[in-house]
Amino acid sequence: MRLRRLVAAIVLSALPFAYPLFHLDLVGGPLPGTAGVVGLLGALAMWWQVLLGARQVSGWFSADRGRIVTAHAWLGASGAFLVLLHPLLELIADRHGPAYLVLLDFTWVESTYTSLGRLALLMFVLLWLSSTLLRAVTRHRLWQRVHYLSYPLVGLVFLHAYGIGTFLAELPWLRAYWLALAAAFAGVAGWRLAAPLRARRYRLAGAERVAGGVTVYSLRGSGVRPLPGQFCHLRTAAMERSHPFSVVRARDGELVFAVKDAGPFTARLRALPVGATVLVDGPYGTFTREAQLGGRPPVLVAGGIGVTPFVELAVRRQDAVLFHATRHPMDLHRHLGPRYRPAHPGGERLTAARITRDAPGDAAYFVCGGPGFVAGMVAELRAHGVPADRLFSERFEW
């Protein structure tokens, strides 16, 4: 239901830009007017895309991060079309050559504002390429850093339209609306930058090294109350980038995370002494909500460290069965007994045939792990007859 509010909010925010479509004579005719409206709508799509990219904001509309990401991607696709169409229409309307799209000129006021738009266009093309044609060969960390360009990009778009936007110059009320959008964007950017200051401070109570390059951390504190399957963002210092980890257990002020070695941040976590402060932001996610609320017995399929969102849920639901594709089974037999079914130590691959053979006929399936594991297992389960409405998945990015 809350996602419908998001759709309604996007539509309502776009309505003011429909007014100029009926007054194209204000800016010299249909083609220049259409180019202006297209640019404003493209900017609005980017505005929403950036806002939904901030988890602190998207949570106001829905806790289901998967649906938010889908909306974020849809806005990116529609915004890309509008953003790229705008300069092409301007080029045709003013009868410029192709160099008009990339020529930077800061010698006078109008050319400066136009050049800000060109810089935004170049940054947008870089963002678009990193999310489409180059996504398969771009590491997640690099992709995320490139996406930080979206903040200065949108800032440049607001400045460009404020200085050049003909409709904004002719319609004072639309100019005021544009400034309100810019102020809201600045507020969200500041809110996100201040996120470390709002994070809960937890104390590292213990760290236990287990098999397979995994360390189990116990944090003590208050204020974070995750449900089974949710995750939190952790920082070891206020100015560093946060990293998401699923909560294995949350009871009586204790948060437990199982973290696999995966780069510099996990190395810094391992180096922390007992008593050190860890900043916790969250909780987020709704991956296993259907398993908690639904009546179907849950079949949990984990690849490696992807088991972490399932542990607490499997303990609480006595009808849950946990399949684990791993070379290093966790010590879960004492909690789950035969309901914990890791891959055999001999290396036999966990297959959909084995899972569906042992699962109840009316089960709901939940798959979590790395991108390759999730894609392959979901395809196998679909091929073995698991309906799409009973198959849920979430992938880990390292």
Side-chain angles (χ1 to χ4, degrees):
M1 179 61 73
R2 296 178 70 187
L3 204 58
R4 294 179 184 176
R5 297 179 190 173
L6 172 60
V7 175
I10 293 173
V11 172
L12 288 174
S13 68
L15 287 181
F17 299 123
Y19 178 84
L21 289 174
F22 301 97
H23 299 80
L24 299 178
D25 57 307
L26 290 175
V27 293
L31 190 55
T34 301
V37 172
V38 165
L40 294 173
L41 290 175
L44 183 67
M46 287 193 297
W47 183 85
W48 273 109
Q49 189 184 26
V50 172
L51 261 63
L52 293 182
R55 60 184 180 272
Q56 297 87 354
V57 176
S58 62
W60 298 342
F61 295 100
S62 175
D64 189 338
R65 190 63 183 166
R67 291 187 178 182
I68 290 294
V69 169
T70 300
H72 176 84
W74 180 84
L75 287 165
S78 57
F81 173 76
L82 295 171
V83 167
L84 296 175
L85 181 60
H86 167 67
L88 293 177
L89 291 176
E90 292 283 5
L91 184 149
I92 296 171
D94 294 337
R95 299 180 181 178
H96 291 296
Y100 173 80
L101 299 177
V102 295
L103 181 63
L104 300 180
D105 180 6
F106 297 96
T107 57
W108 56 299
V109 175
E110 184 175 347
S111 67
T112 296
Y113 281 115
T114 303
S115 294
L116 293 179
R118 294 180 180 123
L119 285 174
L121 176 63
L122 293 174
M123 295 168 70
F124 180 83
V125 170
L126 179 60
L127 285 171
W128 180 78
L129 288 174
S130 70
S131 295
T132 54
L133 301 180
L134 301 179
R135 184 65 184 97
V137 296
T138 304
R139 293 177 62 87
H140 179 73
R141 188 172 299 171
L142 175 61
W143 171 83
Q144 188 177 51
R145 288 174 177 172
V146 170
H147 265 61
Y148 288 147
L149 289 175
S150 58
Y151 284 90
L153 186 159
V154 175
L156 290 175
V157 168
F158 274 108
L159 289 172
H160 164 72
Y162 183 82
I164 298 296
T166 46
F167 280 122
L168 300 184
E170 296 293 335
L171 300 170
W173 66 267
L174 192 61
R175 190 180 184 88
Y177 178 61
W178 188 253
L179 291 175
L181 290 175
F185 174 78
V188 169
W191 177 269
R192 186 164 186 177
L193 288 173
L197 302 178
R198 305 191 313 275
R200 300 287 183 173
R201 301 174 68 86
Y202 273 66
R203 179 180 58 84
L204 179 61
E208 179 184 0
R209 191 72 170 168
V210 297
V214 175
T215 304
V216 177
Y217 298 95
S218 174
L219 307 181
R220 300 290 303 184
S222 62
V224 178
R225 299 178 178 84
L227 297 172
Q230 289 193 301
F231 62 91
C232 295
H233 282 254
L234 304 183
R235 288 183 175 91
T236 58
M239 299 308 295
E240 72 178 10
R241 185 169 66 94
S242 66
H243 295 256
F245 298 99
S246 295
V247 180
V248 175
R249 185 174 67 250
R251 294 174 186 167
D252 302 325
E254 179 189 45
L255 299 178
V256 176
F257 300 88
V259 179
K260 184 178 177 64
D261 297 347
F265 179 75
T266 56
R268 290 196 296 274
L269 273 180
R270 292 197 307 274
L272 289 178
V274 172
T277 298
V278 178
L279 302 178
V280 181
D281 176 23
Y284 300 99
T286 60
F287 173 46
T288 60
R289 175 177 291 177
E290 290 82 0
Q292 299 170 55
L293 302 179
R296 300 181 184 276
V299 173
L300 314 175
V301 184
I305 199 62
V307 73
T308 52
F310 294 144
V311 175
E312 183 74 1
L313 174 64
V315 170
R316 293 190 184 189
R317 283 204 60 159
Q318 296 300 310
D319 57 348
V321 180
L322 175 55
F323 292 91
H324 192 187
T326 178
R327 297 179 182 177
H328 306 282
M330 297 180 67
D331 184 18
L332 294 175
H333 288 291
R334 58 177 176 171
H335 301 292
L336 304 180
R339 294 190 294 117
Y340 177 55
R341 303 177 186 181
H344 294 294
E348 177 185 341
R349 191 175 74 88
L350 185 63
T351 64
R354 174 189 166 192
I355 295 170
T356 54
R357 182 187 67 230
D358 296 347
D362 61 340
Y365 294 76
F366 299 82
V367 183
C368 186
F373 173 81
V374 170
M377 184 56 67
V378 167
E380 282 191 44
L381 289 170
R382 291 293 300 276
H384 280 75
V386 176
D389 62 346
R390 288 198 274 135
L391 182 56
F392 308 88
S393 64
E394 183 170 274
R395 69 183 192 180
F396 281 11
E397 294 274 10
W398 289 283

